[in-house]
C-alpha cells in the first residue's frame, strides 16, 4: 500500500486517498473505544481502506460511527459464527451433558453450513434458510459409526431446540457488542410451529395400573427376578433412570416411608454424580410394599457382602460382582427390555405392550394424573421445573380429563 496523504484528524474521523497498483483508493480513520464495556480504558484508532471512491469511504465511515455510537466493536476483527460459538460453548457454566448437547447441535448441524460466516453477517433470513435445509436435507458431517451416525433430516422438535440454542448464542454476541440485534429472535423467525412438533411427536406408549401390576407380579412370582426391587422402585417413584441408580441407603427413610432424590449419575463421568436435572433435591412417599421390598433387598446385599453394602454411603443398587460401583444406565435399560420381552411371552403382547424403561416414568405420571392426583404433586414427584412442563408432556391425559369434564357437565 502506498503512503497515504496527510490529513488532520477531528472527532468524527477523516477520509483520505492513497495510491495502489490497482489505482486510487480511499480509507477512513475514526476513534473507537478500546473496549465498549470499559470506557475508562480510552480509545484507539480504527481504519478501513480499499474503498473505490471518496463517497463510498464517507458512507462507510458514517456507518462505522453509527455502529460505534450504538456500542458495537468497531475496528476489531469480527469472529465467524464458529469462532464465537466455540468461545461461547467454553464459557457456559452449565452441566457437561447440557453443554455437550449444545456442542453436538452446533458442530453437527450448524457450523458445517454457516459456521464460516462472520457473525454480524448472519441475519434472520440466513437462519430461516438454515432451518428449512435442516428439515429437508441430512447433516453434512455424519459420524461413520455410533449413536450419532444417523443421517436423516431433522424433525420439527430437533430444529426448534437448535433454534433455541442459536438464540442464546446470539444473545451472548449482542452482550459482547459483536452485533446490535439477535437474528435468532423476533416475529420474522420461522421456527417449526408447536403444532408441527406435536404432530410429529411419536405416540407415547404407557402401561396402566393393571399392566404395571401384572408385570411386577410376574417378575416377583413367576420370574422370581433377583432385581425385582430395582424395577419396583422405578414404578413406585417415577424417578429418572440415573436418579434411581444414584440412590444411597442414606436416601431411604424406612421409618417415614420416604425416598430422597439428592443426586443423579453423571453419564459423562462414570462413577461420579451430580445434582438432579433441575438442580433441586426432592423427596416423596412410597408404599409399604416398596419399603418392604427395599428391606428384603438390603438383607440380600448384607448376606452377600456383609455390612459394607448396607451402610449409608453404599449404593442401593450396586453393580453385581463389582459392589463398590453403581450400575450402568444403558445396560439397566437393556435388562428391563429383556424382561418385558420375556413377560410378553407369558402374558401376551396385547396384555403387555412394549415399553422402554423411560416409559415407566411416563406410565407413573399418566396413572397418577388419570386417577386425579394434583398435577403440582405429580410435577414435584417427577422433578419437573414447573407444572406447565408436566401438563405439556401429558396432554394425552389432560385431554381425557377434559372429555370426562364435558360428560359431567351434560345436564340434558
Amino acid at each position: 500500500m502506498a503512503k497515504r496523504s496527510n490529513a488532520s484528524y477531528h472527532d468524527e474521523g477523516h477520509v483520505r486517498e492513497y495510491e495502489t497498483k490497482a489505482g486510487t483508493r480511499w480509507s477512513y480513520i475514526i476513534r473507537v473505544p478500546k473496549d465498549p464495556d470499559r470506557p475508562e480504558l480510552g480509545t484507539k484508532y480504527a481504519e478501513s481502506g480499499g474503498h473505490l471512491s471518496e463517497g463510498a469511504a464517507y458512507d462507510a465511515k458514517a456507518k462505522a460511527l453509527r455502529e460505534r455510537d450504538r456500542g458495537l466493536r468497531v475496528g476489531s476483527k469480527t469472529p465467524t459464527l464458529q469462532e464465537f460459538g466455540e468461545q461461547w460453548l467454553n464459557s457456559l457454566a452449565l452441566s457437561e451433558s447440557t453443554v455437550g448437547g449444545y456442542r453436538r447441535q452446533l458442530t453437527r448441524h450448524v457450523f458445517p453450513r454457516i459456521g464460516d460466516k462472520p457473525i454480524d453477517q448472519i441475519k434472520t433470513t440466513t437462519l430461516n434458510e438454515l432451518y428449512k435445509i435442516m428439515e429437508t436435507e441430512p447433516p453434512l458431517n455424519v459420524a461413520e459409526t455410533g449413536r450419532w451416525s444417523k443421517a436423516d433430516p431433522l424433525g420439527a422438535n430437533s430444529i426448534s431446540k437448535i433454534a433455541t440454542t442459536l438464540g442464546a448464542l446470539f444473545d451472548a454476541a449482542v452482550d459482547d457488542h459483536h452485533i446490535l440485534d439477535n437474528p435468532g429472535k423476533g416475529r420474522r423467525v420461522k421456527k417449526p410451529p408447536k403444532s408441527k412438533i406435536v404432530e410429529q411427536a411419536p405416540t407415547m406408549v404407557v402401561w396402566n395400573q393393571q399392566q404395571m401390576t401384572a408385570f411386577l407380579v410376574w417378575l416377583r412370582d413367576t420370574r422370581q427376578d433377583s432385581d425385582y426391587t430395582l424395577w419396583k422402585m422405578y414404578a413406585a417413584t417415577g424417578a429418572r433412570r440415573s436418579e434411581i441408580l444414584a440412590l444411597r441407603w442414606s436416601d431411604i427413610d424406612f421409618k417415614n416411608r420416604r425416598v430422597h432424590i439428592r443426586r443423579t449419575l453423571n453419564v459423562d463421568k462414570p462413577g461420579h454424580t451430580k445434582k438432579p436435572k433441575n438442580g433441586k433435591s426432592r423427596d416423596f412417599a412410597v408404599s409399604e410394599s416398596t419399603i418392604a421390598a427395599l428391606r428384603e433387598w438390603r438383607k440380600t446385599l448384607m448376606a452377600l457382602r456383609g455390612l459394607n453394602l448396607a451402610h449409608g454411603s453404599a449404593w442401593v443398587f450396586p453393580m453385581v460382582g463389582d459392589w463398590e460401583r453403581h450400575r450402568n444406565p444403558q445396560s439397566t435399560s437393556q435388562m428391563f427390555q429383556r424382561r418385558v420381552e420375556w413377560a410378553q411371552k407369558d402374558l401376551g403382547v396385547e396384555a403387555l405392550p412394549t415399553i422402554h424403561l423411560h416409559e415407566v416414568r411416563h406410565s407413573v405420571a399418566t396413572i397418577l394424573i388419570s386417577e386425579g392426583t394434583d398435577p403440582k404433586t405429580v410435577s414435584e414427584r417427577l422433578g419437573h421445573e414447573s407444572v406447565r412442563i408436566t401438563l405439556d408432556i401429558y396432554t394425552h391425559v389432560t385431554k381425557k380429563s377434559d372429555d370426562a369434564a364435558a360428560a359431567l357437565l351434560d345436564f340434558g
Side-chain angles (χ1 to χ4, degrees):
M1 184 179 290
K3 183 178 180 181
R4 295 167 177 77
S5 59
N6 292 325
S8 61
Y9 182 83
H10 52 86
D11 288 343
E12 296 303 305
H14 66 280
V15 168
R16 57 187 176 182
E17 65 177 316
Y18 60 94
E19 297 298 326
T20 70
K21 290 181 179 180
T24 302
R25 295 292 184 267
W26 296 81
S27 69
Y28 71 78
I29 301 176
I30 60 174
R31 275 195 173 275
V32 299
K34 292 180 179 179
D35 185 341
D37 287 325
R38 301 181 63 190
E40 70 274 10
L41 295 179
T43 61
K44 64 180 181 179
Y45 287 114
E47 182 175 6
S48 173
H51 302 285
L52 298 178
S53 69
E54 185 177 17
Y58 271 109
D59 289 343
K61 179 173 75 72
K63 179 176 181 291
L65 289 171
R66 288 194 300 271
E67 292 177 345
R68 178 199 68 182
D69 294 342
R70 292 182 68 184
L72 281 185
R73 293 182 183 274
V74 177
S76 301
K77 179 182 179 294
T78 302
T80 65
L81 174 62
Q82 182 162 352
E83 289 170 343
F84 183 80
E86 294 288 355
Q87 180 185 357
W88 175 70
L89 288 167
N90 293 334
S91 72
L92 294 176
L94 301 172
S95 69
E96 291 182 28
S97 58
T98 299
V99 177
Y102 293 163
R103 193 179 298 278
R104 282 190 295 273
Q105 290 176 354
L106 296 174
T107 56
R108 182 175 167 85
H109 301 288
V110 179
F111 293 160
R113 288 183 167 120
I114 60 172
D116 60 342
K117 290 181 177 291
I119 199 166
D120 62 349
Q121 292 183 20
I122 296 177
K123 308 302 180 185
T124 299
T125 302
T126 312
L127 298 179
N128 288 341
E129 291 175 349
L130 174 68
Y131 302 150
K132 189 173 182 179
I133 290 172
M134 287 178 177
E135 195 172 11
T136 57
E137 299 179 12
L140 296 178
N141 60 339
V142 180
E144 294 183 2
T145 59
R147 180 180 177 185
W148 310 109
S149 60
K150 189 177 179 182
D152 294 333
L154 295 180
N157 188 49
S158 296
I159 295 172
S160 180
K161 289 179 178 179
I162 291 173
T164 300
T165 301
L166 283 172
L169 186 156
F170 285 117
D171 272 343
V174 171
D175 291 342
D176 282 3
H177 305 283
H178 290 301
I179 54 177
L180 293 171
D181 302 298
N182 188 331
K185 295 183 177 179
R187 56 186 178 84
R188 293 194 302 113
V189 178
K190 297 178 181 177
K191 296 189 294 185
K194 188 173 182 180
S195 59
K196 193 166 187 177
I197 296 174
V198 172
E199 177 187 332
Q200 292 182 0
T203 302
M204 186 184 293
V205 180
V206 295
W207 285 345
N208 58 32
Q209 193 168 19
Q210 292 72 32
Q211 290 165 332
M212 189 72 74
T213 300
F215 177 68
L216 289 172
V217 169
W218 178 87
L219 283 174
R220 184 192 63 200
D221 298 342
T222 303
R223 173 79 183 170
Q224 297 185 355
D225 194 333
S226 59
D227 286 316
Y228 165 76
T229 304
L230 173 63
W231 315 123
K232 187 174 178 66
M233 278 294 286
Y234 281 111
T237 64
R240 298 177 178 93
R241 178 179 65 178
S242 288
E243 291 174 341
I244 293 294
L245 298 182
L247 284 173
R248 300 183 188 276
W249 284 112
S250 57
D251 300 321
I252 310 299
D253 184 346
F254 287 95
K255 180 179 179 181
N256 296 302
R257 293 192 293 109
R258 300 193 73 81
V259 172
H260 296 262
I261 303 294
R262 298 186 173 105
R263 72 195 71 80
T264 186
L265 299 184
N266 188 339
V267 295
D268 295 314
K269 291 183 177 180
H272 294 76
T273 60
K274 58 184 180 180
K275 291 182 178 180
K277 190 171 182 179
N278 66 355
K280 299 177 183 177
S281 299
R282 65 189 191 279
D283 67 278
F284 41 75
V286 291
S287 65
E288 288 283 6
S289 67
T290 302
I291 290 296
L294 284 167
R295 290 186 190 278
E296 287 301 312
W297 174 242
R298 198 179 191 191
K299 290 178 182 177
T300 298
L301 291 177
M302 291 173 66
L304 287 170
R305 299 286 293 178
L307 290 174
N308 286 340
L309 293 184
H311 59 71
S313 63
W315 303 112
V316 174
F317 300 107
M319 179 78 75
V320 177
D322 194 355
W323 304 101
E324 300 302 317
R325 294 176 56 195
H326 61 70
R327 298 196 184 197
N328 178 275
Q330 190 63 34
S331 62
T332 301
S333 292
Q334 293 167 353
M335 289 169 61
F336 176 81
Q337 206 59 44
R338 287 195 295 271
R339 281 155 177 77
V340 171
E341 293 170 0
W342 295 334
Q344 287 173 331
K345 291 179 180 179
D346 284 350
L347 305 177
V349 176
E350 291 184 1
L352 202 66
T354 299
I355 69 170
H356 299 87
L357 183 56
H358 187 69
E359 288 164 330
V360 171
R361 174 175 164 85
H362 290 322
S363 299
V364 169
T366 300
I367 292 168
L368 290 174
I369 296 173
S370 297
E371 293 299 315
T373 306
D374 174 33
K376 187 174 187 300
T377 300
V378 178
S379 178
E380 291 174 348
R381 189 180 194 89
L382 296 180
H384 286 161
E385 190 70 38
S386 67
V387 176
R388 172 52 53 193
I389 294 174
T390 308
L391 294 176
D392 284 346
I393 294 174
Y394 301 104
T395 52
H396 64 291
V397 189
T398 55
K399 175 65 169 62
K400 290 180 182 178
S401 297
D402 186 52
D403 291 342
L408 289 172
L409 297 176
D410 182 7
F411 307 111

